[in-house]
Amino acid sequence: SGPSLAVVGVTGAVGQEFLSVLSDRDFPYRSIKMLASKRSAGKEFSFQDKTYTIEELTENSFDDVDIALFSAGGSISKKYGPIAVDKGTVVVDNSSAFRMVENVPLVIPEVNPEAMSGIKLGTGKGALIANPNCSTIICLMAATPLHRRAKVTRMVVSTYQAASGAGAAAMEELELQTREVLEGKPPTCNIFNQQYAFNLFSHNAPIVSNGYNEEEMKLVKETRKIWNDKDVRVTATCIRVPVMRAHAESVNLQFENPLDEETAKNILSNAPGVVVIDDRASNHFPTPLEVSNKDDVAVGRIRRDVSQDGNYGLDIFVCGDQIRKGAALNAIQIAEMLL
Ligand code: A2P
């Protein structure tokens, strides 16, 4: 028993993680449709002791699907999301296609579960729910508990983003390039058009008219929507680093009300989905490797911002698994709230 599910983009990095998370969390379901492109259709694989055949995503894929988890890119979501909704399916979409659409809830379950309170299963009515950008989720998991206490008025984010955000092919290319460089060969640059191994570069998202890239503007706009706060000032610089699957972010926070270091540390230690790694004596703080394949977002380097008077500013360093909490886990927590 349980809902009938569909996974759209099941062969991708996030698609595969959807399955691991469903399994890890014993998510109840009566069936799962495994959907991908024509290229993958017909391939078989086993999941939870059952053999599944990948089906090609078509307009008829959503008959009798209660919940569809989408992660096949924005254009696939734009085309097939509304088709699924018309069939009565609740779509949890990992792409950016609907995030900023009014009336589409943009949800981090630990942060703003109330945004999706109007959506119910079993009413025959479909709906869209958007999963925020991975950098936004990881940042707000740490910033929100502090925001609730002292109200963030301004946030400056610098990201160190993993390959996984660009999909399974980007992860493979990072590994391949690393081997090639060590062997003295020219690196294969199909995904990013430049050397990634032993390098870092500005995020590959397109640059928009104000000079920011789209990834940076997602942090700005999505934070305002998720916090339901049009006035919060956010700026970001997003960088790709040669790390496989977890993002790191330096976050500077400015508050309306005072918040000292110790109180902030206590708040974060008690925040759901957050773990504090902040051992100054042994210089041990969060790393991407330490949070890889983990559910929790790790926070450390919690310290008073010396550039601001009093206790009105804090610096923190956050790491989170981009494929898990940044994508698949967050989407499945959303689906759990529908049950
Ligand atoms: P496929 O493997 O059949 O191409 P990633 O984010 O890791 O790059 O994965 C992208 C996912 O989106 C893959 O599962 C991929 O399936 C899927 N996908 C890409 N194009 C389509 C399409 N036209 N129809 C359905 N799924 C698609």
Side-chain angles (χ1 to χ4, degrees):
S1 66
S4 57
L5 307 180
V7 176
V8 178
V10 72
T11 51
V14 175
Q16 287 292 298
E17 198 73 14
F18 281 144
L19 298 182
S20 314
V21 176
L22 287 172
S23 174
D24 289 352
R25 296 172 75 87
D26 282 323
F27 190 98
Y29 60 86
R30 65 171 187 278
S31 60
I32 311 189
K33 254 188 203 181
M34 306 292 186
L35 301 167
S37 77
K38 206 188 212 141
R39 298 177 288 274
S40 308
K43 286 188 191 150
E44 292 191 341
F45 68 98
S46 70
F47 172 64
Q48 294 192 318
D49 303 324
K50 237 192 109 178
T51 302
Y52 289 87
T53 306
I54 297 174
E55 297 172 48
E56 181 186 355
L57 172 66
T58 70
E59 302 196 356
N60 301 317
S61 295
F62 301 99
D63 299 328
D64 195 33
V65 171
D66 297 319
I67 303 175
L69 304 165
F70 271 65
S71 191
S75 56
I76 297 292
S77 292
K78 275 205 181 105
K79 174 161 182 208
Y80 291 95
I83 292 173
V85 171
D86 279 344
K87 300 263 167 134
T89 304
V90 176
V91 171
V92 184
D93 182 34
N94 191 52
S95 81
S96 61
F98 305 108
R99 286 180 191 148
M100 296 313 297
V101 175
E102 220 187 316
N103 298 324
V104 173
L106 181 64
V107 178
I108 306 172
E110 291 88 344
V111 174
N112 63 334
E114 69 284 352
M116 56 177 281
S117 61
I119 298 174
K120 302 261 180 304
L121 279 188
T123 61
K125 257 189 78 185
L128 284 168
I129 304 171
N131 211 37
N133 171 265
C134 47
S135 298
T136 310
I137 294 175
I138 291 163
C139 175
L140 296 193
M141 282 296 289
T144 303
L146 306 176
H147 174 57
R148 285 190 185 127
R149 175 67 68 100
K151 195 173 192 311
V152 172
T153 54
R154 181 164 185 258
M155 181 164 80
V156 182
V157 186
S158 307
T159 71
Y160 309 76
Q161 298 188 220
S164 53
M171 297 168 80
E172 281 160 30
E173 184 162 294
L174 173 57
E175 194 174 324
L176 173 67
Q177 279 196 5
T178 305
R179 284 182 212 289
E180 289 170 335
V181 173
L182 287 175
E183 287 165 9
K185 296 179 187 156
T188 305
C189 300
N190 293 328
I191 307 290
F192 293 120
N193 297 317
Q194 59 188 316
Q195 184 175 328
Y196 191 16
F198 306 98
N199 195 16
L200 58 79
F201 46 79
S202 181
H203 193 285
N204 49 294
I207 302 280
V208 297
S209 60
N210 64 3
Y212 283 67
N213 63 47
E214 283 179 3
E215 186 80 358
E216 292 158 351
M217 289 311 294
K218 286 173 187 173
L219 267 157
V220 175
K221 292 178 185 166
E222 293 181 18
T223 298
R224 290 184 189 145
K225 178 165 176 175
I226 294 166
W227 281 356
N228 192 21
D229 179 354
K230 280 192 286 294
D231 300 322
V232 64
R233 290 175 294 156
V234 179
T235 182
T237 301
C238 291
I239 303 292
R240 283 255 187 235
V241 297
V243 162
M244 216 36 108
R245 59 172 290 154
H247 290 351
E249 303 180 30
S250 154
V251 183
N252 176 265
L253 299 163
Q254 191 174 331
F255 300 104
E256 187 170 296
N257 304 306
L259 179 62
D260 63 72
E261 239 169 58
E262 272 317 302
T263 310
K265 208 166 169 175
N266 279 331
I267 291 170
L268 290 169
S269 303
N270 291 307
V274 175
V275 53
V276 170
I277 302 176
D278 199 30
D279 183 348
R280 294 179 180 180
S282 55
N283 218 332
H284 179 206
F285 300 107
T287 68
L289 278 185
E290 239 176 303
V291 298
S292 291
N293 294 299
K294 299 269 168 56
D295 287 351
D296 287 341
V297 165
V299 192
R301 302 300 320 279
I302 303 159
R303 64 197 192 282
R304 193 180 80 83
D305 170 1
V306 298
S307 75
Q308 298 189 52
D309 292 332
N311 286 318
Y312 291 92
L314 281 175
D315 278 298
I316 59 175
F317 185 68
V318 187
C319 288
D321 186 307
Q322 183 275 330
I323 313 181
R324 223 169 161 88
K325 184 58 188 171
L329 171 62
N330 196 75
I332 284 165
Q333 288 175 305
I334 289 172
E336 284 172 348
M337 292 201 297
L338 295 166
L339 296 178

